[in-house]
Amino acid sequence: MSLMLSGIGVSRGIAIGKAHFMRNSIEVLQSAIPAHLLESEIARFLAAVDAARSQLEAIRERVPVETSIDITSFIDTHLLMLGDATLISTPVELIREHGCNAEWALKLQRDAVISVFEKMDDPYLRTRSDDVDHVVNRILRILLDRDQNGHDLKDEHLANAIVLADDLTPAETVLLKHQGMTAFATGFGGPLSHTAILSRSMQIPAVVGAHGIQQYLRDGETLILDGLQGIVIADPDEQTLTHYRKRQQDERRRRQELARLANRPAITLDRFPIRLMANIELPEDVEAVGMSRIDGVGLYRTEFLFMNRTAPPDEQEQFDCYLAVLDALQGKPLTIRTLDMGADKQVDSGKGRCGSNPALGLRAVRLCLKDLSLFRPQLRAIMRTSAHGPVRMMIPMLTNTQELHQVLSLINETRNALQREGMAFAPDISIGGMIEVPGAALSAREFARHLDFLSIGTNDLIQYTLAIDRVDDEVNYLYDPLHPAVLRLIKMTIDAGLEAGIPVAMCGEMAGDPRYTRLLLGMGLTEFSMHHTSLQEVKSVINNSHIATLRPLVEELVNHTNAGQIHARIESLNSNLTE
Ligand code: PEP
Ligand code: MG
């Protein structure tokens, strides 16, 4: 009898394949090694470490160029751990000392390291214990010469497999894809996790937060996974299979058609032009995006320039970097967001670490205003870049207008200083604010009076409105861009911009999700900024939509307080879109 489990669809696509379980814990048994075999046991351990390193290096090579730096730096962290004495030399000593097998020595050391991490108050350091686990498991799997389910690690094993796991790391996702995985479903995780973002950029159909997969699904049974609807169907009957095979074909056709859209403008059926922009993290990202396909960069997350180093980049390094991005954009606008550091985005220099509640602590503009040695060089570098082309400056996480006035007066000081020094800059550089704190959305009118544009950061706006930590698996089930409160805050922000006659953009993940494109068009949004892999899908919805028809429908929808009715109305809004 078939069974359906639901979760959060994070990467669109239909997959039909065999269930393949990845179990997260590996059982390790202790065995005694005779003294004369200890050296060869140590050699076996060191060979496994080398093999783990080669695996990770191979994974790093396969990460698509457009993947964000935090995913590659995650792999780098694991590579560094493989060279770390605590994790590698101590097990060697333990093998000698206890006369035990390599697996047991590694497990002892893992337990010791993790217990130290878990006692730490700093949430960032606590998350490092997951990294230790991942690295140790990789070595253990090699030592045991098995994958986590007891199967041999052979490439063909995963051909056509739908991988099921409690959770997957980005590195595992890349490796599994290479081994033939066709889709995956995890019991935990949310749509904003790095693994979810990676699944979208690698176009792997994926469902996360599907509780009960370990309990209800069986290894080897036939599954259908629908990454759009967020469902997994086990043991489907012939009729269901035929239905989904047809949907797979439709999906293939749809992708071919999307590719044809690449160089066409985004314009609605009633001729409203819409600006489609890209979100980037690194200068190299511009190349991956492909200039002809976008109207500019709507969000350049500069914090990535500050990561994996001991000291922040100085003004000149920042200027050189921003100028390189601007040049690559060939005259299209570049929106440089000032540093958004803190909370889940930590840097190695230690700045931005904060108290027991980091998402509500000293992050983004709060941190910049507290540490002007960090903020001033960036303001100067952005202003100087503005002399060379269309640069917009965007301030993240504004909470109240006092904060905004502080920023504006610092920008004025910077202008005066640059002028005195005879440095070139655009005096009328466009200054915008991100609306991602509910309080700021509620006072969007005030912000709009003092700014040249607004950009809605839905990732944080949803996190703060619904009080759900965006990196916490346990509460991800509450993540809902269609929550009536979220919709009202978005609408208020768009209306405030329209009233003040300034553009309003959206640069959170919601902007790149085609399920919400019509809703946002109907609300009056005219600028969407997203990961470049979503551009054509969103454009295809825009080019098939009629704003005048959407407006009254959306007006009515936004006034609903019942989440179920809102979801149903979204479906009917999207009903004539080809899936
Ligand atoms: C957001 O919060 O929606 C956003 C775009 O910023 P980030 O994801 O970098 O916090
Ligand atoms: Mg944000």
Side-chain angles (χ1 to χ4, degrees):
M1 229 201 33
S2 65
L3 168 81
M4 189 172 93
L5 293 179
S6 58
I8 310 167
V10 292
S11 178
R12 177 186 183 129
I14 308 276
I16 301 174
K18 296 276 179 222
H20 179 97
F21 271 103
M22 298 269 297
R23 307 216 186 265
N24 285 3
S25 59
I26 300 176
E27 201 190 346
V28 175
L29 299 175
Q30 181 178 13
S31 57
I33 304 289
H36 71 282
L37 292 179
L38 284 178
E39 287 313 309
S40 66
E41 186 64 8
I42 289 169
R44 188 171 79 87
F45 172 67
L46 294 176
V49 172
D50 278 347
R53 188 174 300 116
S54 310
Q55 274 185 1
L56 275 175
E57 277 162 358
I59 293 170
R60 201 182 189 295
E61 298 260 291
R62 281 182 233 124
V63 174
V65 269
E66 67 272 20
T67 306
S68 68
I69 184 75
D70 46 346
I71 285 164
T72 46
S73 66
F74 169 94
I75 299 172
D76 287 340
T77 306
H78 288 195
L79 275 166
L80 275 177
M81 283 182 169
L82 281 171
D84 191 273
T86 332
L87 217 53
I88 307 309
S89 310
T90 315
V92 170
E93 286 161 24
L94 290 171
I95 296 173
R96 283 205 186 97
E97 212 176 290
H98 297 276
C100 66
N101 52 331
E103 292 87 344
W104 189 251
L106 185 57
K107 177 201 159 349
L108 288 179
Q109 183 58 3
R110 179 207 28 213
D111 294 350
V113 173
I114 286 183
S115 83
V116 173
F117 276 125
E118 279 174 354
K119 282 191 200 112
M120 291 178 176
D121 283 340
D122 188 328
Y124 167 74
L125 288 178
R126 274 206 310 265
T127 64
R128 288 282 141 143
S129 71
D130 291 342
D131 291 320
V132 173
D133 239 351
H134 291 309
V135 171
V136 167
N137 282 348
R138 183 174 296 283
I139 305 171
L140 282 176
R141 284 200 296 273
I142 295 165
L143 283 169
L144 296 166
D145 195 23
R146 285 175 307 166
D147 72 6
Q148 288 156 323
N149 198 37
H151 302 298
D152 287 340
L153 276 172
K154 296 228 173 72
D155 277 12
E156 63 267 30
H157 198 81
L158 291 183
N160 218 22
I162 296 182
V163 168
L164 306 170
D166 282 344
D167 208 353
L168 290 177
T169 65
E172 284 165 342
T173 310
V174 176
L175 180 65
L176 290 165
K177 168 78 178 158
H178 179 71
Q179 288 181 301
M181 168 180 77
T182 174
F184 70 83
T186 61
F188 302 101
L192 304 179
S193 72
H194 292 146
T195 297
I197 292 171
L198 186 67
S199 68
R200 288 191 281 278
S201 69
M202 294 183 85
Q203 303 192 346
I204 309 168
V207 174
V208 303
H211 295 279
I213 50 176
Q214 301 276 11
Q215 207 177 337
Y216 298 113
L217 303 182
R218 279 171 295 138
D219 206 34
E221 73 180 330
T222 301
L223 298 180
I224 296 173
L225 180 143
D226 181 341
L228 182 67
Q229 304 295 338
I231 53 173
V232 181
I233 302 171
D235 196 16
D237 57 28
E238 213 29 64
Q239 202 184 346
T240 314
L241 274 171
T242 312
H243 169 76
Y244 277 95
R245 283 201 191 105
K246 162 135 194 341
R247 291 214 20 216
Q248 254 184 331
Q249 276 172 5
D250 293 346
E251 179 73 19
R252 238 170 265 138
R253 214 168 301 128
R254 195 185 64 84
R255 283 193 199 274
Q256 283 162 0
E257 268 162 29
L258 284 179
R260 271 185 238 125
L261 269 181
N263 296 324
R264 292 210 209 127
I267 183 158
T268 63
L269 292 170
D270 43 350
R271 316 304 298 162
F272 281 101
I274 303 295
R275 292 198 349 148
L276 279 191
M277 320 277 279
N279 291 353
I280 63 164
E281 273 112 39
L282 279 181
E284 303 81 283
D285 290 347
V286 177
E287 214 178 300
V289 171
M291 255 331 86
S292 59
R293 304 161 59 210
I294 53 164
D295 296 314
V297 165
L299 168 62
Y300 173 17
R301 292 182 161 106
T302 56
E303 48 279 7
F304 287 89
L305 183 61
F306 290 67
M307 289 179 181
N308 295 317
R309 55 195 297 161
T310 45
D314 64 13
E315 174 187 329
Q316 189 59 35
E317 184 181 342
Q318 291 188 56
F319 170 71
D320 291 341
C321 181
Y322 303 155
L323 190 58
V325 177
L326 184 66
D327 283 346
L329 280 171
Q330 303 161 5
K332 292 185 177 169
L334 168 64
T335 313
I336 307 180
R337 177 171 77 181
T338 60
L339 200 56
D340 181 5
M341 209 152 72
D344 58 321
K345 282 181 281 197
Q346 303 290 349
V347 296
D348 291 351
S349 57
K351 288 183 191 275
R353 299 253 165 91
C354 30
S356 56
N357 222 334
L360 303 180
L362 197 59
R363 65 170 282 204
V365 73
R366 304 170 181 185
L367 178 72
C368 287
L369 286 172
K370 181 160 169 119
D371 187 349
L372 293 181
S373 70
L374 202 58
F375 204 20
R376 279 209 173 97
Q378 184 171 43
L379 292 179
R380 287 177 60 94
I382 297 174
M383 298 285 288
R384 285 174 55 200
T385 314
S386 71
H388 300 269
V391 170
R392 309 197 296 181
M393 186 186 317
M394 183 157 81
I395 317 296
M397 276 282 291
L398 286 165
T399 304
N400 61 35
T401 44
Q402 285 94 302
E403 228 176 14
L404 173 63
H405 291 307
Q406 256 179 294
V407 173
L408 293 178
S409 85
L410 275 168
I411 292 174
N412 251 338
E413 267 177 38
T414 311
R415 272 197 191 101
N416 295 339
L418 290 174
Q419 201 153 25
R420 272 197 309 276
E421 294 164 38
M423 298 270 211
F425 64 93
D428 56 349
I429 180 176
S430 185
I431 315 282
M434 281 192 72
I435 301 296
E436 45 187 350
V437 172
L442 289 164
S443 17
R445 272 184 168 175
E446 259 308 288
F447 285 96
R449 287 199 317 126
H450 301 284
L451 287 163
D452 301 312
F453 69 96
L454 301 178
S455 186
I456 309 173
T458 48
N459 305 342
D460 280 313
L461 186 64
I462 297 170
Q463 144 165 277
Y464 296 125
T465 306
L466 306 181
I468 41 165
D469 188 338
R470 62 193 264 192
V471 295
D472 186 341
D473 293 346
E474 302 279 352
V475 288
N476 255 312
Y477 70 99
L478 289 169
Y479 173 85
D480 182 12
L482 297 182
H483 187 294
V486 172
L487 294 187
R488 280 189 209 168
L489 293 174
I490 293 174
K491 181 76 168 77
M492 272 178 136
T493 309
I494 296 173
D495 288 348
L498 285 172
E499 242 178 73
I502 61 165
V504 178
M506 179 178 284
C507 61
E509 292 283 302
M510 188 177 179
D513 190 327
R515 287 174 295 182
Y516 309 129
T517 308
R518 283 190 167 171
L519 168 74
L520 297 171
L521 287 171
M523 284 186 178
L525 194 77
T526 51
E527 188 175 314
F528 295 63
S529 193
M530 65 197 76
H531 190 269
H532 74 90
T533 49
S534 304
L535 284 164
Q536 304 321 320
E537 276 186 49
V538 170
K539 190 194 288 179
S540 134
V541 180
I542 292 170
N543 293 3
N544 274 304
S545 299
H546 193 271
I547 291 200
T549 313
L550 291 174
R551 259 191 213 129
L553 297 175
V554 171
E555 185 81 47
E556 195 254 355
L557 184 153
V558 171
N559 286 325
H560 269 284
T561 47
N562 176 309
Q565 284 177 349
I566 292 180
H567 282 261
R569 278 175 165 73
I570 290 286
E571 262 180 41
S572 97
L573 211 59
N574 292 336
S575 60
N576 72 339
L577 288 175
T578 41
E579 295 258 322

